Amino acid sequence: PGPPAIFEDLPQLGVLPPPLPDSSKRGRATLYCIAESFDRKKLEELLKLTYPAEQVLSYPDVFYVEYIKGSGDQPGGDVFFFDYGVVACWGLTKSQEMTIVRGMARQCNVQGLSDSEIETDEYEYNFTTTEKPHVQNDTVTLHKRFAQNHKMKLAVSYALAQSTKLSVYEQRVVDIVLETKNLPESLAMTGALEISSTDIAKLIGKVFLQKSTVNLLSSVLDTPEFFWHAPDNFQTLYERVNEYLELPARVELLNSRFSVLQEMLDMVRNHQNNYHNVRLEWIVIWLIVVEVVVGLFELLGLFGLVGVENSGASSRTGSSI
């Protein structure tokens, strides 16, 4: 096609351009995994002491806090504390999030994570009247009528929190892979391993511990009990976010990595055991050789073939005396 005619690129009369997005309808959702789990009883007591009772709600595996009250169709600020050590913050500033994570959540940690292990995921969200609820490019789009409905945010937060928790274990597997990657390389290049049996046993124990933890996490990754009594559209949105985050595929990949690590460490252990057995066999062989040599000298001594000169020297010494 040729170049546009004059005024063709200008809006026609009576046709309004699409409205710009309202920044007040947009926000940030941040999730922090800071512990293996929370002490639920202690967390509940702390929340009820800190916030009015009507701002704190309890669900089977999560506490909800209305941190900032919304007005009309303006969304407020919401916080979700998941039992498995994840905090989800909606519509808060960075300083407000740090106040909650460092000041409150850490007081209820059970096996808190180190600073290097803490996982943080950040998403954007917006409200619209023209699109169906969905997630794309790390942006969650919800219908405007749910701006004050924390349960819709909870439905999304379940999937986001599961993804954040899973990321912690994915990083741990990466760390184990980096720690052990030199073992097959050393075995292939030199045929020997510079690692003790104790260190191999520790690595096997570490892999087994992480694998069992992920298997226990499968209960967390199942569809939460919240959706048993929630409207169907809530579970539909949860499943869409779950699919977007590829949670089932990531769990399967994680288990396959564990299997590869387990096979590799079993191979290394078998190599060490074989080396140890061969060493013991050679020790036994040399002991037998020594015993045969000693027995041979004793036999030669019986026939007078060994020790004759010494005996003659002793007899001459006795005669001279």
Side-chain angles (χ1 to χ4, degrees), residues 21-28 74-75 91 124-127 139 141:
D22 186 354
S23 60
S24 63
K25 305 297 191 304
R26 301 181 65 87
R28 186 167 57 96
Q74 302 298 321
E124 289 186 355
Y125 67 88
N126 62 71
F127 296 95
T139 300
T141 300

Side-chain angles (χ1 to χ4, degrees), residues 18-306:
L20 295 174
D22 186 354
S23 60
S24 63
K25 305 297 191 304
R26 301 181 65 87
R28 186 167 57 96
T30 311
L31 292 96
Y32 300 88
C33 182
I34 62 173
E36 294 295 340
S37 62
F38 288 135
D39 185 331
R40 186 174 177 86
K41 184 177 180 181
K42 185 176 180 180
L43 179 60
E44 183 177 13
E45 293 174 353
L46 184 59
L47 292 177
K48 289 183 177 180
L49 287 174
T50 308
Y51 303 101
E54 64 274 9
Q55 292 180 223
V56 180
L57 295 178
S58 175
Y59 294 94
D61 49 3
V62 63
F63 283 106
Y64 162 71
V65 175
E66 186 182 27
Y67 192 82
I68 302 174
K69 191 172 183 62
S71 59
D73 61 351
Q74 302 298 321
D78 304 285
V79 183
F80 302 94
F81 297 86
F82 292 88
D83 289 353
Y84 40 87
V86 178
V87 182
C89 304
W90 289 69
L92 305 186
T93 64
K94 193 72 174 179
S95 60
Q96 290 170 334
E97 293 172 358
M98 290 298 99
T99 299
I100 293 171
V101 172
R102 296 177 179 174
M104 180 173 296
R106 281 194 173 180
Q107 298 182 45
C108 309
N109 281 0
V110 176
Q111 297 181 2
L113 304 181
S114 63
D115 291 340
S116 60
E117 284 187 308
I118 291 177
E119 182 70 23
T120 304
D121 292 331
E122 188 172 311
Y123 304 87
E124 289 186 355
Y125 67 88
N126 62 71
F127 296 95
T128 180
T129 58
T130 59
E131 300 180 50
K132 293 182 178 180
H134 66 279
V135 57
Q136 185 177 8
N137 297 329
D138 288 349
T139 300
V140 180
T141 300
L142 302 175
H143 197 277
K144 185 179 178 181
R145 69 175 181 270
F146 294 112
Q148 298 298 324
N149 191 335
H150 74 274
K151 291 185 178 180
M152 179 61 82
K153 297 178 183 177
L154 177 57
V156 177
S157 296
Y158 268 115
L160 300 181
Q162 290 170 346
S163 174
T164 302
K165 186 68 176 181
L166 187 59
S167 296
V168 173
Y169 295 105
E170 288 173 333
Q171 184 58 47
R172 288 179 178 175
V173 172
V174 171
D175 293 340
I176 296 176
V177 170
L178 293 176
E179 186 178 355
T180 59
K181 71 174 184 178
N182 63 315
L183 296 180
E185 293 176 357
S186 175
L187 192 60
M189 295 179 64
T190 65
L193 293 171
E194 297 181 359
I195 184 172
S196 65
S197 301
T198 303
D199 291 335
I200 292 176
K202 288 180 179 179
L203 287 173
I204 292 174
K206 187 183 295 186
V207 171
F208 178 80
L209 180 62
Q210 295 302 322
K211 187 175 182 179
S212 60
T213 304
V214 171
N215 289 333
L216 292 175
L217 184 65
S218 61
S219 61
V220 174
L221 297 178
D222 289 339
T223 302
E225 184 180 341
F226 166 78
F227 295 103
W228 296 358
H229 309 289
D232 291 341
N233 59 336
F234 283 22
Q235 183 169 351
T236 301
L237 179 58
Y238 164 78
E239 291 172 352
R240 287 179 182 173
V241 180
N242 195 315
E243 182 180 355
Y244 169 78
L245 297 170
E246 301 178 337
L247 293 184
R250 289 165 59 189
V251 172
E252 184 177 353
L253 177 61
L254 196 60
N255 284 325
S256 66
R257 287 179 175 176
F258 277 128
S259 298
V260 172
L261 282 172
Q262 189 68 51
E263 291 176 5
M264 186 266 292
L265 290 175
D266 287 341
M267 177 196 68
V268 170
R269 181 174 59 179
N270 291 335
H271 175 80
Q272 288 288 80
N273 290 338
N274 292 337
Y275 175 79
H276 182 66
N277 292 336
V278 170
R279 186 179 178 185
L280 289 178
E281 289 175 0
W282 275 108
I283 291 175
V284 171
I285 290 172
W286 282 111
L287 288 176
I288 294 174
V289 170
V290 171
E291 185 177 359
V292 169
V293 171
V294 171
L296 182 61
F297 273 96
E298 291 179 352
L299 184 61
L300 294 175
L302 291 176
F303 289 99
L305 300 177
V306 176

